[in-house]
Amino acid sequence: MINEIRGRKLKLLKSSSEISKRVSELGKHITRDYRDKDPVLIGILKGGFIFLADLVRHIDFNTEIDFVRASSYREGMVPGDVELTADVTTPLEGRHVLLVEDMLDTGVTLGFLKEHILSKKPASCRICAFLDKKERREIEIEADYVGFDIGNGFVVGYGTDWGEMGRNLPGVYVLE
Ligand code: IMP
Ligand code: MG
């Protein structure tokens, strides 16, 4: 089992069994809320790929899935400007959209992406974030569904990365 990345030790924060329990709860919740709404689930690449993949298997209605790709963290841990590097192809006008992201941190990325989606005139646009670092928020934005509230430490695993490493870890780890 991987226990370090480039010499930085990893400390377990959420195990894969805790994560699967929570993701299944979120899936049930979203199923209840969106069953009759014919929503489009939009995963945010790259970080959201594992969360979306697990989440949709707990969603019990027929649904479309699409992706946007955005990059914000340029050099490891320093937040930069957000850039949209790939857009959805699904027409979103009049549709109920749920954005699925690995992490809500300063809020800059999701703030930018929500504005971008809203410009396509959907019926609604809500956010499902796997991890939420509430204390670090710099803009006013909240997730409608949250997997886990976490502290300020930098984490990797379950889709989240440190300089592109760590996404494949089945749990979430704090970099020591
Ligand atoms: P925000 O724009 O500051 O909210 O940052 C959101 C993005 O930064 C997320 O999509 C993550 O990819 C990345 N990010 C923020 N905190 C962490 C972290 O602790 N580990 C890995 N990526 C992070
Ligand atoms: Mg991300």
Side-chain angles (χ1 to χ4, degrees):
M1 187 62 207
I2 302 165
N3 58 14
E4 57 81 38
I5 296 176
R6 301 188 191 100
R8 295 275 298 268
K9 285 246 173 319
L10 303 176
K11 187 170 159 245
L12 185 66
L13 185 65
K14 301 289 172 196
S15 68
S16 65
S17 60
E18 280 174 273
I19 293 171
S20 36
K21 184 165 169 281
R22 183 66 190 126
V23 172
S24 124
E25 287 168 3
L26 285 172
K28 288 194 184 106
H29 198 162
I30 291 166
T31 299
R32 256 197 334 264
D33 294 355
Y34 281 94
R35 191 188 292 281
D36 306 314
K37 293 206 159 105
D38 188 25
V40 185
L41 270 63
I42 300 180
I44 301 174
L45 297 173
K46 299 177 196 170
F49 82 115
I50 290 181
F51 179 42
L52 181 83
D54 282 349
L55 183 67
V56 293
R57 282 175 283 180
H58 292 282
I59 286 180
D60 192 14
F61 50 73
N62 291 314
T63 187
E64 283 172 71
I65 295 165
D66 206 334
F67 294 92
V68 289
R69 184 164 170 184
S71 57
S72 58
Y73 276 63
R74 296 288 156 72
E75 314 269 323
M77 296 184 186
V78 184
D81 298 332
V82 187
E83 193 185 359
L84 187 75
T85 51
D87 202 354
V88 291
T89 54
T90 313
L92 297 180
E93 188 169 345
R95 302 293 303 274
H96 291 281
V97 171
L98 185 62
L99 282 171
V100 179
E101 170 64 314
D102 58 347
M103 170 91 58
L104 188 49
D105 184 25
T106 64
V108 172
T109 306
L110 273 164
F112 169 86
L113 286 172
K114 191 168 178 180
E115 281 302 309
H116 173 70
I117 296 297
L118 288 174
S119 75
K120 296 173 187 282
K121 306 197 184 333
S124 68
C125 178
R126 296 167 94 188
I127 291 170
C128 177
F130 173 59
L131 300 172
D132 190 356
K133 294 183 182 174
K134 285 204 164 58
E135 291 163 38
R136 285 187 32 99
R137 210 72 92 245
E138 288 172 13
I139 68 160
E140 212 173 294
I141 187 162
E142 290 309 325
D144 302 279
Y145 305 90
V146 173
F148 299 103
D149 286 310
I150 62 168
N152 290 343
F154 198 85
V155 301
V156 293
Y158 200 71
T160 66
D161 71 302
W162 177 43
E164 294 304 326
M165 290 295 130
R167 295 193 197 275
N168 56 317
L169 290 161
V172 172
Y173 296 80
V174 181
L175 278 184
E176 290 197 321

